[in-house]
Amino acid sequence: MPTPAAPAQKPQSWRAARRAARRRGEFVEPQGCLYALSQPPLMLFLCVVGGLIGAGAGWDLLTL
């Protein structure tokens, strides 16, 4: 005999889903801008670009 299907759940907002996951004891990794800045390749790229801008500014200050 087939088992009855589970009742359809209404979609939750992302905040409600996060709260429910925390109540279950699950770790919820934050998403967004600060999460993106914690990624090593992005930070390496930003450091290289910042270093080039800084080197150009220093070069201008010393030679012009």
Side-chain angles (χ1 to χ4, degrees):
M1 180 170 173
T3 58
Q9 294 178 347
K10 74 173 195 173
Q12 294 180 333
S13 70
W14 62 272
R15 284 187 179 147
R18 230 162 92 187
R19 265 188 255 122
R22 279 197 213 125
R23 275 190 234 114
R24 290 190 304 267
E26 298 173 5
F27 175 72
V28 179
E29 190 163 352
Q31 302 290 320
C33 182
L34 292 179
Y35 173 76
L37 286 177
S38 70
Q39 302 302 311
L42 176 63
M43 290 307 296
L44 180 63
F45 171 74
L46 292 176
C47 287
V48 168
V49 170
L52 290 172
I53 291 173
W59 180 266
D60 284 347
L61 287 173
L62 293 173
T63 58
L64 297 178

